[in-house]
Amino acid sequence: MPTVPRLRSPLRGRLIICGDTPLAFRLADELSTRYLQDVTVIVSSKRRNHGPQITDLPRVRVHEAAELDDETFRAVHTESARAVALVGNSEVGNIHAALRVQELNPDIRLVIRMSNTALGNRIRTLFKDCAVLSDGAVAAPSFVAAALGDLPPSHVRVAGRTLYVAHRSDRVRNVVCGLADTRRSDGAPRLLPVDQERANLVLAVADGTSRTSLAGPPVNRRPVTTLTRNLRLILSRRLLQVAMALLVLIVVGSTALSIGDRHGFTYSLYLVLLDIAGAANPDPQLSGPAKVTQVIITLASLALVPAITAAVVDTLVRARLAGPLEQLRDPINGHVVVVGLGEVGLRVVSQLHDLGVQVVCVEANEDAVGVPLARRLGLPIVFGDATRGETLRTAWVGTCRAVVTVTSDDITNLEAGLNARALRDNVRVVLRLFDDDLAARVHRNFKIPVSRSVSFLAAPAFAAAMMERQVIGTIPVGRSVMLIADMPIGASSELDGRPLREANLPGEARVLALGRRGRPRFDWDLQNGYLLIPGDRLVVLATRSGIGHLRARTIGTPEPPSTSPR
């Protein structure tokens, strides 16, 4: 990132992190080792959770405190600190602590972790200098890209929409702007050309339309395969084995009865069906072998009726729990199976759906936060234990393109991934693992190359926010990288009171969306004549140099120091 003026100059004091979560550990490591900053971390205990790992980090001082009260913040000198990150698991606790910090130091920069981004956009307006981030929202694009492999276009989630890169020749809809012209003879792309029509790469809004690169191979519609897979969907493997064994026994018994008693097969089948219905009628005139056959058939029929009842009940229960599971009765392939509809899973599902990828969800809890979203999108949900093969077979893991396991439990994620590999040895598996050492050993021993930690993926964004850099996404173009940033308009800045069109820098920066002061939503239909005011926010697409130049124009001019004699 280029050097630009900051909100407060010179920078003062240490950076403070509140929490002993995995994100707190990653964030402290990022700030101390990459940015070479002095960090103070407030934990409840140095011996619990991630306290021991945080204590071993260089340039990090650990302060133990049972509560985040005024006394605790005074003890770590919050009044002279530069920024505070509140990354605990309790969102209410993070907000409460932020209010305490602001009372002690009104000019401090706050970085708050919140999963509810809609509430976060409103909370940030309560503070003078605040960034609200969701670790799940930051990490979700990486899981999506890993699930789709090398095929997906570059994409990023911005202000409630998914943006992706496409070729203009694909006749995409909802184009936001021209991204680059890559047809130059020297091979270097011309980024953000002034003439938008010359850009062969464009940035567009994903609207759920399926695209060839993401749709996967065509669905197999062969009747025999369809019948076999539908039977596997209706019956579990054990029930199917029991039912087939009993049916074979009944057919063999009917044949033996017709041969041994010299009746025709039709008459023998008639007697057998009566026996199955519970109307067995002892006949002393039958021969010994016929009597034995009749007894065996009667006992088999007693077992067959409960087996059929269990199959029917099992099917009804699955249908009741799955909602739109009817979509899975026909064989499907080329889809992505997402295991876990928590904070991360709901965002992965949302982005895959925006990109036109068929998704099947697997969730053990009907009250998970992502279930309402999946139902609203009309996605099939298989409720059940993802560590069981029957659950994964119901989601057609055997024909999917990837399995993404993003539950909050490492063991569940690992077992579901290994079971998916057992059903299909070449399926792409993306695991969410908190433990780095476990992830490395899984990669080495089970040959599962894709394993990711939400805290590892989110920590750089939180660190950038603490260092007052509001980069929220990146888009690679050839050997160049385009950045998407959220920039507030400062009072007395160069753009204060200027038309919106003046924020565009040809070849360097272009405004994508405008967040007006006091409004929670962003405007995508830009009015170039709109006059910018302090508190407005710009979502911009820019080069590395463009980010620095535009940021310098949005930062307010600090008041000159007093020169009067003392």
Side-chain angles (χ1 to χ4, degrees):
M1 295 291 295
T3 303
V4 295
R6 299 189 181 276
L7 295 177
R8 291 171 299 278
S9 181
L11 298 177
R12 300 177 297 131
R14 301 172 66 91
L15 301 174
I16 299 175
I17 301 173
C18 302
D20 53 8
T21 60
L23 178 58
F25 166 63
R26 299 287 186 194
L27 179 55
D29 183 39
E30 184 83 8
L31 292 171
S32 61
T33 59
R34 290 184 179 271
Y35 290 93
L36 301 179
Q37 298 294 310
D38 294 327
V39 182
T40 298
V41 182
I42 303 175
V43 299
S44 57
S45 173
K46 294 181 180 180
R47 300 178 181 84
R48 293 197 305 268
N49 299 325
H50 282 72
Q53 293 94 320
I54 295 174
T55 304
D56 293 337
L57 292 174
R59 306 179 69 98
V60 173
R61 182 169 67 90
V62 178
H63 179 82
E64 288 184 301
E67 296 182 4
L68 296 177
D69 52 17
D70 292 344
E71 182 180 351
T72 300
F73 286 120
R74 289 192 183 96
V76 296
H77 306 289
T78 304
E79 64 278 0
S80 61
R82 189 197 324 170
V84 173
L86 302 157
V87 293
N89 290 325
S90 172
E91 295 187 357
V92 175
N94 291 340
I95 296 173
H96 191 185
L99 293 172
R100 291 180 182 274
V101 170
Q102 183 176 244
E103 291 178 357
L104 294 175
N105 187 348
D107 294 327
I108 199 169
R109 179 165 181 79
L110 295 170
V111 178
I112 305 176
R113 173 192 174 273
M114 290 192 66
S115 300
N116 189 338
T117 53
L119 176 61
N121 286 332
R122 293 178 174 85
I123 290 296
R124 64 182 296 169
T125 61
L126 302 177
F127 303 96
K128 182 177 180 180
D129 187 6
C130 177
V132 179
L133 299 176
S134 166
D135 51 346
V138 173
S142 296
F143 285 98
V144 173
L148 300 180
D150 298 329
L151 294 178
S154 299
H155 66 278
V156 63
R157 189 75 171 176
V158 177
R161 296 189 178 187
T162 299
L163 306 181
Y164 70 98
V165 178
H167 290 275
R168 190 181 292 275
S169 58
D170 294 338
R171 298 180 180 179
V172 295
R173 299 181 297 178
N174 301 327
V175 174
V176 177
C177 69
L179 184 62
D181 182 5
T182 61
R183 297 166 296 188
R184 299 179 62 184
S185 58
D186 58 1
R190 177 174 295 172
L191 304 177
L192 298 176
V194 178
D195 185 1
Q196 293 287 298
E197 297 301 324
R198 294 187 59 85
N200 62 321
L201 287 183
V202 298
L203 192 65
V205 178
D207 57 0
T209 303
S210 179
R211 290 173 289 281
T212 304
S213 61
L214 300 176
V219 177
N220 188 349
R221 295 291 184 182
R222 289 181 293 180
V224 176
T225 305
T226 301
L227 176 61
T228 304
R229 289 176 174 172
N230 281 340
L231 285 176
R232 292 175 62 185
L233 176 62
I234 297 174
L235 296 175
S236 64
R237 183 173 60 179
R238 292 184 179 179
L239 283 177
L240 186 60
Q241 291 173 348
V242 171
M244 293 301 296
L246 294 175
L247 287 175
V248 169
L249 182 60
I250 290 172
V251 171
V252 172
S254 300
T255 304
L257 185 61
S258 63
I259 295 174
D261 212 37
R262 297 184 178 182
H263 292 297
F265 184 79
T266 304
Y267 182 75
S268 299
L269 184 60
Y270 163 72
L271 296 177
V272 168
L273 292 177
L274 291 179
D275 291 340
I276 292 176
N281 185 18
D283 187 356
Q285 303 300 323
L286 294 177
S287 61
K291 291 179 179 179
V292 173
T293 302
Q294 187 182 36
V295 170
I296 294 175
I297 292 173
T298 303
L299 295 177
S301 67
L302 294 177
L304 179 62
V305 173
I308 295 176
T309 303
V312 172
V313 171
D314 182 68
T315 303
L316 292 176
V317 169
R318 291 188 187 188
R320 181 184 68 82
L321 292 179
L325 190 58
E326 291 292 333
Q327 302 175 24
L328 299 179
R329 290 197 175 275
D330 292 330
I332 60 175
N333 60 6
H335 60 290
V336 174
V337 177
V338 178
V339 178
L341 290 177
E343 296 293 346
V344 180
L346 74 89
R347 290 177 170 83
V348 172
V349 166
S350 177
Q351 293 188 26
L352 287 171
H353 180 266
D354 286 348
L355 291 169
V357 179
Q358 192 171 11
V359 182
V360 176
C361 309
V362 178
E363 174 56 53
N365 181 13
E366 291 188 67
D367 298 324
V369 295
V371 171
L373 172 66
R375 285 175 171 163
R376 188 166 61 253
L377 297 176
L379 302 178
I381 311 174
V382 179
F383 287 105
D385 186 357
T387 62
R388 298 182 56 189
E390 290 82 359
T391 304
L392 297 179
R393 276 194 292 270
T394 303
W396 298 103
V397 166
T399 56
C400 71
R401 68 187 301 177
V403 177
V404 183
T405 60
V406 287
T407 71
S408 57
D409 181 62
D410 278 0
I411 298 301
T412 299
N413 293 337
L414 178 59
E415 189 172 359
L418 294 177
N419 285 341
R421 278 289 178 89
L423 294 175
R424 181 182 165 196
D425 56 0
N426 63 341
V427 68
R428 186 174 184 83
V429 177
V430 182
L431 300 181
R432 173 189 180 183
L433 296 178
F434 292 89
D435 192 329
D436 275 346
D437 182 68
L438 176 61
R441 295 179 187 276
V442 166
H443 171 71
R444 187 166 55 249
N445 294 282
F446 299 122
K447 308 302 179 184
I448 297 180
V450 183
S451 56
R452 282 166 159 74
S453 166
V454 171
S455 58
F456 180 81
L457 296 170
F462 279 78
M466 292 191 73
M467 301 299 293
E468 301 176 9
R469 297 175 180 177
Q470 293 296 324
V471 176
I472 58 178
T474 60
I475 296 179
V477 181
R479 300 183 64 179
S480 303
V481 176
M482 302 290 289
L483 306 175
I484 297 180
D486 183 352
M487 294 189 175
I489 301 297
S492 301
S493 65
E494 183 179 338
L495 290 178
D496 184 4
R498 306 301 300 172
L500 176 62
R501 60 175 174 271
E502 294 189 11
N504 295 318
L505 301 175
E508 289 193 326
R510 183 174 180 85
V511 179
L512 302 180
L514 169 67
R516 302 192 182 188
R517 184 177 64 183
R519 297 185 182 182
R521 296 184 179 275
F522 282 84
D523 294 331
W524 290 83
D525 297 326
L526 301 178
Q527 301 175 5
N528 288 327
Y530 172 78
L531 299 181
L532 297 171
I533 61 175
D536 287 346
R537 296 162 57 198
L538 302 178
V539 175
V540 299
L541 173 68
T543 62
R544 291 181 179 271
S545 60
I547 286 287
H549 295 157
L550 189 58
R551 180 172 173 79
R553 301 176 64 196
T554 59
I555 295 178
T557 304
E559 295 182 1
S562 176
T563 58
S564 59
R566 300 182 61 178

